[in-house]
Every structure is written in C-alpha cells, then in structure tokens.
Amino acid sequence: MIEKGEIFFGFSAVIFRVHCADHTYCTLRFPLEAPAALIKRSAADKLGLKQGDLLLVEVKSTGERIIIPDRRTCVATGLSLNGALFISPKEHLDALTPLQEQMGPGVMDGTGSFLESVSSQELAYWLTVTDWEAFQCIHPVSGGSLQRDFAAKAPTWSFAQILNVAFIVMGFNHCYELLYKVLEGESLSGQPMTGNLDVFIRRTSELQYWAATEICLATNLSKRSALMRKFIKVAAYCQEYGNVNGALAIVSGLSTPAISRLNHTWEKLPTRIRKVFGELEGLTDPSRNHRRYRMYVGTLKPPVIPYMPILLKDMTFSHEGNQTLLDSLVNFEKMHLLAQSLRMMRACRARSWEIPPPPSTKSEAEVRSYVTSLHVIDCERILNQMSQRVEPRR
Amino acid sequence: MPEQSNDYRVVVFGAGGVGKSSLVQRFVKGTFREGYVPTIEDTYTQVISCNKNVCTLQITDTTGSHQFPAMMRLNITKGHAFILVYSVTSRQSLKELSAIWDAILETKNEAMGDIPVMLAGNKCDETESREVNCSEGEEQAKRWRCNFMETSAKTNFNVKELFQELLNMEKNRNMTLSLDGKEKKSQKGPHKFKEKCCLM
C-alpha cells in the first residue's frame, strides 16, 4: 500500500497490515518515524493480544522470519519485496507462515500477453519515468532537524554525530538516507529515516524478479523465448535512457539460476539479441571490483540512475573496513570515501530526466499503471520449481 | 491457488461511524468501547459449526471512508456474505449504502438471491436522536431483497441474532454459531426480539 513516486518524510503516514499466526490482520496507519515498539503495542491492542512477550516479525515469502528490533523505524518500507509483518508471542514464533498473497502470481496470472502487445521502448520509457521519480525522492530530508537532534545529545558522540559534523565540514548536509542504510544496526540517536531509499531498493528487486517471474510463468517455449527477447530489449532501452539500475536489475533477473538454466529458451534467441544480453551482463561482472561497470558509468552524462546495489556495497565496505575514530580523532579519510559515493549520487541527479515519450502502441495510462504495479514471485525456491516444470532436466 | 474452502468470509460495510467495528467487536469479543477510532481494515475469526464440522468464520471489518475503492472491490470479490450497516441516527448513512449495494450487485453478477446480505440499523438504543424509522429500514431491505434487523452494539441487542440470521440465509451450508452449549450466556438488557421490532 506504499505509493511510489511520493516523497516520504519521517512524519509521513503509511498504511500497512499486521498479521497474526492465523492470518487475521489489522490495518494500521503510522508515520514512518514510529518505532517498532509503538506499532507492536498498537497492533496487540487491536488484535486483542496480551501485551508482554510479543515480537514484531517480518515473514518472507520463503518462510524465513526476521525479528524487528523495538527501536527500528521505517518498518513498513523496510520489508523485503513480498514480505509481510506479523505479531506473535515469543514462544509461538514457529507458528508463523507466509500468506497466500506473498507467494506472488499463480500459473494463470502471467502478463505475457500484455507484454507482447507493448513495444519494448515504451515499456522501458515508462519504467524509467517511474524509477526516476523514486530515485529523485531519495534523501530530500534537510539536515537541519537532524543536526539539532544530534547536537542536543552531545557530548557522548555517536557515529552518526561524528559523520554529521564531518559532512557539514565537507559541505554535505542532505545525504542521510544512504548513510542510515549503511549504518543500520549501529545504535543511532535520532530517528533514522530511510523510507525513500527503501522504496527504491524494493523497486530494484521488483524489476529483477519481474523478469524471472514472467518467463517462468510462460509455459510455451516460443512464448517464453519471445518474452526473454522482450526483457533483453527493455533492458537495452533502459540503458539508453540512462536507467542503468533498471537495465542491470532486469539483466540480473535473467541471470538467476532459474532462468539461466532454460537452455531451450536461450537457444531460440537471435544471435543479435544474445549479443546485446552479453554486453549488458558484462557490466555486472564483479571482477576487479566491478571495473567494467565503473568504467562504463564514468563515461555517462547525467541524468543517470546508477546501479544501487553497487553504490550501497561501496558505502558498506567504506564504513565497515575503516575506523571512524583514530586516537579519538575523526578519520577524515573514511569520511572522504563515503562522501565519494554521495558525490556520485549527486552527480547522477545533476540534471533532471526529461525525455519525450516514444510513439505509443498502448494507452499511456495502461502502460504506466502496469509498470507501477508489478506482481512478482520473490521466492527463489518457487521460481526454481517452476523453471524445472517448464523445462525439465534431461 | 487452492481455495481455503473451510473459511466463510463475512464482510461488514457501511458509512463511517455507524458502528461497524462496535458490532463486530461486540460479536467476537463481547466488549463495547465508547469513543471512535476510525478503522482502515481489520479481520476477526470465530470458530463456528458448519455442516456438522468446524469451520472458521472470517469477519472483515472495513473502512467507512471511501478512500480505498480498490479494497472495497476486492472485499466484495472475496466475501461470501455481507452485512450492510447504517445508523438509525443518520439518514445519510442509509443512503450511502446504495453505492455499496450497487457495487456488490455489479461484482457478484450471479443471482443476488443466493448471496446472504443483512441490512442492520445500528444504534437503535439512541431513541432521542433517531432519524430513520424501523419501517424505512424494512422497506429498503424489501427493495434489496435482503433481511433486516435493528441492532445496538452498545446494549448488545440483536448482535448475535444478526450474525446467526446471516448464516441461516446461506443455503449451501448449514451453519450455527455455537459449537456447544457454553456460548449461551444470560443476556442482559431489554427483551430480545427476533426481528421486525420497532423501538420508539
């Protein structure tokens, strides 16, 4: 129920469900900055559970359960793609099972025929419009309130405070979401706000599973191959539009084991299309610290949507591999490393994305509503089973 | 996707503040809260007996505001039976049900006679501020060919009867609320009337 393309602030209210083990639920409305403990209390009250040893838990479509710590904020946006919130007494955690709807579309729900009727360029265009909107929403939070927040809590400086001061020195005061994401798990003062980045990250995995889901749902070999061709072309157009994130998300979806093992489908692709895929896939090559990707992105002019997983990975490594304080002095070398990633982010958005739409084959509203409401299977196990079914191993 | 045929889903619709949540909570938990907390969407379950078996009665308490039309459609599609609630203290709340009735008709384009629907005029304890007479509710119910009851979640009047009557209307299954005798508590408040009562 989280709207895309809308900027979130800490006070923005979001609507979400909290489920019980028997899959009954209550629907709550809370600002993003509300801590998990508050959500838990309210849900327990609505669902008539006895307060006490209760846990707020994310249950993924795979069945995996992740306990959400009481202090966590942005609970609703922080869920995995098809994840759902549950509440349960500590001792009954084992009883939590995923909801039917978390499993994603069923065998009959593939959208292959719709995809066939839309041109690849048009799909890529509207995908990029949507992605760009989400990308632009990331960390518009002004540093002001956060600075005040932190300043009040001196003199025991937390990591975030040090960062805060360090970044003001370096002229950054609006990059908190990425930092907060990287710092997840550190004890922070203030209320970390990552809602917009969360939405963007979810979007990235949505695109990835979208390609894999639709191909696995196509039971007919030639249809499947046509879809694969479509996705590769969409990825190529995304790349042309500067949506590197979208392009590489789709390509990595096509490289997952469930899809890459479909030999018959790949064999039916024209050589030209396979070459296009090969070039795109090359950009995801992790060797020499993603050298090919970095070289490529370095040549691009803004507006660009960079591949978010690599950006976040860089920041995580900069953070975890380097100490913040050295002999009680702030490690500015580290701050520079982190700032480099943030600078890259800023450079990508230096110009806004304004490209007229391509000639249309379908109504604009129809394509837009399709790309903003993708239904996918985000469980590798299910995808693998479906893949085995459409092309059994010989 | 396999359908959980053991569930029987009842959806409660009505304008904001007519007492949908109060009715459901009175029925499920036996409690009543003064004060108004707008609902977005909550579900409750109750174990009932169905064709001499145990089955779950799933009650969806919906929002009174019209912010989420998509959710309303989905609930109609999923629902087996419906309770349409208005408040006898507000004629407007009865009028607003027409849109919901139309939506149900449109979505369930089978013979409407087969789908159990109850019209409930809630807050019948508030005699002072009554705007809608009992007979008006009856007439509306006749027009929609559904059954009608006046209820009060506050005084626990006709609440259980409302749900029992709804389940009685289901022709495909034979359902009763009580699993055994233990549910029968002594009921407080004014005399229970089965139906078609008029409190003035």
Side-chain angles (χ1 to χ4, degrees), chain B residues 166-181:
Chain B
L166 183 76
L167 297 187
N168 289 346
M169 289 169 77
E170 177 59 69
K171 295 180 190 87
N172 300 325
R173 311 188 202 190
N174 179 16
M175 289 178 288
T176 45
L177 289 177
S178 48
L179 282 177
D180 46 43

Side-chain angles (χ1 to χ4, degrees), chain A residues 69-358:
Chain A
D70 278 351
R71 294 194 52 188
R72 175 77 52 84
T73 55
C74 299
V75 172
T77 52
L79 296 177
S80 71
L81 194 52
N82 285 355
L85 268 183
F86 280 75
I87 188 168
S88 146
K90 209 174 249 168
E91 62 273 20
H92 295 315
L93 210 57
D94 299 342
L96 301 184
T97 51
L99 311 167
Q100 189 59 49
E101 67 204 48
Q102 284 181 258
M103 297 307 165
V107 196
M108 305 302 291
D109 304 330
T111 57
S113 48
F114 176 83
L115 286 171
E116 261 174 50
S117 69
V118 191
S119 82
S120 309
Q121 190 180 9
E122 206 179 354
L123 265 173
Y125 179 85
W126 292 110
L127 277 173
T128 305
V129 169
T130 314
D131 293 358
W132 178 258
E133 280 169 1
F135 182 57
Q136 266 206 315
C137 288
I138 301 173
H139 69 62
V141 186
S142 91
S145 67
L146 289 150
Q147 280 163 29
R148 249 175 287 125
D149 239 33
F150 292 144
K153 297 199 174 87
T156 43
W157 281 27
S158 69
F159 179 72
Q161 285 165 302
I162 296 166
L163 272 183
N164 193 44
V165 174
F167 280 122
I168 292 166
V169 174
M170 290 189 290
F172 282 95
N173 57 0
H174 63 290
C175 313
Y176 292 95
E177 276 193 60
L178 282 151
L179 286 172
Y180 277 142
K181 197 81 219 167
V182 173
L183 302 181
E184 214 165 56
E186 305 258 340
S187 72
L188 293 176
S189 55
Q191 281 163 330
M193 162 60 199
T194 56
N196 301 296
L197 181 58
D198 288 340
V199 170
F200 189 80
I201 294 171
R202 283 168 63 116
R203 174 67 176 175
T204 306
S205 40
E206 191 174 60
L207 291 177
Q208 182 185 332
Y209 286 113
W210 171 52
T213 302
E214 291 299 337
I215 289 174
C216 282
L217 282 174
T219 42
N220 176 304
L221 175 60
S222 54
K223 287 233 168 91
R224 199 160 55 242
S225 179
L227 263 180
M228 184 128 27
R229 182 162 165 258
K230 182 120 225 162
F231 280 114
I232 294 169
K233 282 174 76 181
V234 170
Y237 276 116
C238 279
Q239 185 193 20
E240 238 175 72
Y241 282 131
N243 186 358
V244 182
N245 187 67
L248 295 191
I250 293 173
V251 165
S252 62
L254 297 178
S255 315
T256 50
I259 303 302
S260 59
R261 66 172 284 284
L262 298 173
N263 288 330
H264 296 296
T265 314
W266 287 104
E267 273 164 22
K268 282 194 74 143
L269 288 179
T271 338
R272 186 176 53 88
I273 294 289
R274 263 196 277 182
K275 196 164 150 264
V276 172
F277 178 77
E279 278 167 15
L280 278 165
E281 199 192 20
L283 294 176
T284 62
D285 177 6
S287 61
R288 299 173 68 198
N289 194 12
H290 295 281
R291 187 160 191 280
R292 283 179 69 179
Y293 167 78
R294 287 177 210 281
M295 296 289 280
Y296 167 69
V297 171
T299 64
L300 297 178
K301 293 208 168 55
V304 171
I305 311 179
Y307 192 40
M308 194 52 80
I310 293 184
L311 196 71
L312 282 171
K313 181 181 153 191
D314 284 353
M315 291 189 66
T316 308
F317 275 53
S318 312
H319 169 52
E320 286 183 354
N322 298 289
Q323 295 214 306
T324 307
L325 292 175
L326 292 169
D327 301 330
S328 74
L329 294 174
V330 175
N331 179 2
F332 264 78
E333 203 64 34
K334 169 176 181 170
M335 301 306 148
H336 277 298
L337 276 177
L338 287 170
Q340 220 167 15
S341 301
L342 298 178
R343 209 169 284 133
M344 143 105 176
M345 181 92 174
R346 191 154 74 177
C348 287
R349 302 197 288 192
R351 284 174 56 202
S352 64
W353 197 87
E354 282 158 6
I355 296 173

Side-chain angles (χ1 to χ4, degrees), chain B residues 107-138:
Chain B
T107 314
K108 304 265 185 203
N109 49 18
E110 40 191 306
M112 261 317 266
D114 293 348
I115 297 166
V117 179
M118 282 297 293
L119 179 65
N122 195 32
K123 302 195 190 176
C124 72
D125 56 294
E126 295 192 23
T127 40
E128 302 267 292
S129 44
R130 183 187 274 270
E131 273 186 19
V132 186
N133 284 330
C134 192
S135 55
E136 291 176 66
E138 269 175 35

Side-chain angles (χ1 to χ4, degrees), chain A residues 61 92 145 166 195 322 369 373 393:
Chain A
S61 57
H92 295 315
S145 67
N322 298 289
S369 95
S373 55
R393 198 181 343 198

